Amino acid sequence: MTTEPPDGAHGPRPLDRRSPLPLWAQLFDDLRRRMEAGEFSAEFPAEHRLTGEYEVSRHTVREALRKLRADGLVIAERGRTSRLDTRRIQQPLGSLYSLFRELEGQGVEQRSEVLRLERTADGTVAGHLGLIPDAPLVVLERLRLADGEPLAHDTAYLPAEVAEPLLGADFGHTSLYGELTRRCGVKVTGGRERIQPFLPDIRQAWLLGLADREPAFTIERLGRAGERPVEWRETVVRGDRFAFVAEWSGESRAVALAPRASCPSS
């Protein structure tokens, strides 16, 4: 059995197998205690080390780690050791924003891996933009990285008639809105967003370094230049690295809740 650490030590405490609290929950609580004591400032222990320290199964360790990730306390990436999440990016609600500018403003180094930049057609997206179903579009698909770590999978569609010049842009370290203004003379001035919990598919989870069945946020954005729709964007954001922040007052509008039986328009 694991022995009780001496007074003042930050090591593991034994788990109570007679307790009604599941072992993974006890492990989660003890790992949080050790984190708060500053034990893991250098590195977070690997799964095999935790199974040995606590004399539990790998399944128990993974359940505890899953909860730590869901609470935004630990970052886990494919091929790399888990570590503490010391920075969570905050995003304001209720205003036009550029993720590029927000990250830069918070001192976060950001870049993008461009997965797709080409002409395309999509009847559903064209409908969102008020275009005929076979209208040509420009699609920009990126994996957004913050301090070198995956943050968001971002896909933006724009009418080709205004966005064609974007096909020559390098989006590795620049903003879509900045290039849209510089190259196309189009400025996004407003729009609307819908944010909701989301379960990424296999490809998105792999790109973002998420564990199997780990939830995220999905953001759907319709951007307008004046009254004209010029952008339809679908973004999947890691829930463990991103927080949405809203300010409100007595003058704020009430939130409109959709009927439970209704389905979002496609």
Side-chain angles (χ1 to χ4, degrees):
M1 291 292 293
T2 305
T3 58
E4 181 74 30
D7 292 342
H10 302 319
R13 291 177 178 170
L15 307 183
D16 184 359
R17 284 166 170 75
R18 294 173 297 180
S19 170
L21 191 65
L23 289 178
W24 72 264
Q26 295 182 51
L27 176 56
F28 167 79
D29 289 340
D30 198 51
L31 290 174
R32 285 207 59 170
R33 175 190 64 80
R34 296 171 69 184
M35 291 166 63
E36 291 167 0
E39 183 178 354
F40 304 136
S41 57
E43 65 176 356
F44 192 82
E47 285 184 11
H48 66 85
R49 175 179 155 190
L50 292 175
T51 59
E53 285 184 343
Y54 288 94
E55 298 183 355
V56 294
S57 68
R58 179 163 292 186
H59 173 75
T60 297
V61 170
R62 287 179 175 173
E63 285 299 310
L65 294 179
R66 186 190 301 273
K67 176 62 173 171
L68 288 172
R69 289 194 300 269
D71 286 1
L73 300 174
V74 169
I75 297 174
E77 296 177 283
R78 58 183 184 274
R80 298 180 62 179
T81 303
S82 297
R83 63 193 186 283
L84 301 189
D85 188 357
T86 57
R87 172 177 289 171
R88 178 172 287 214
I89 296 158
Q90 298 192 66
Q91 176 57 58
L93 296 174
S95 62
L96 179 66
Y97 65 88
S98 162
L99 183 59
F100 178 90
R101 289 196 298 268
E102 293 293 334
L103 294 179
E104 296 278 305
Q106 295 180 42
V108 179
E109 179 188 1
Q110 79 89 37
R111 64 182 178 86
S112 297
E113 293 181 7
V114 178
L115 306 176
R116 188 166 44 135
L117 177 58
E118 62 190 16
R119 288 173 62 100
T120 189
D122 186 301
T124 300
V125 173
H128 290 307
L129 295 171
L131 304 173
I132 61 175
D134 59 349
L137 306 169
V138 168
V139 58
L140 170 61
E141 181 185 5
R142 293 172 289 176
L143 178 63
R144 315 294 297 273
L145 305 172
D147 283 340
E149 300 163 1
L151 173 65
H153 175 238
D154 187 62
T155 307
Y157 299 85
L158 306 97
E161 62 177 299
V162 300
E164 191 85 27
L166 295 179
L167 295 174
D170 178 4
F171 285 100
H173 188 73
T174 190
S175 70
L176 172 59
Y177 289 172
E179 293 298 324
L180 189 61
T181 299
R182 284 190 292 270
R183 294 173 179 263
C184 308
V186 175
K187 183 176 182 179
V188 176
T189 56
R192 63 175 174 81
E193 285 187 340
R194 181 174 62 177
I195 304 168
Q196 59 187 12
F198 179 74
L199 197 62
D201 61 29
I202 294 175
R203 177 173 180 263
Q204 290 167 330
W206 182 82
L207 287 170
L208 293 172
L210 296 174
D212 183 38
R213 309 296 291 176
E214 186 172 352
F217 289 115
T218 180
I219 308 171
E220 293 180 346
R221 173 188 288 193
L222 180 67
R224 297 189 180 93
E227 296 299 318
R228 180 181 182 182
V230 294
E231 171 202 25
W232 175 258
R233 188 184 301 221
E234 300 166 353
T235 306
V236 178
V237 185
R238 285 182 58 146
D240 62 347
R241 296 209 64 210
F242 210 77
F244 295 97
V245 179
E247 294 187 6
W248 58 274
S249 68
E251 306 299 320
S252 302
R253 292 182 179 180
V255 175
L257 299 178
R260 295 187 63 178
S262 65
C263 298
S265 56
S266 57

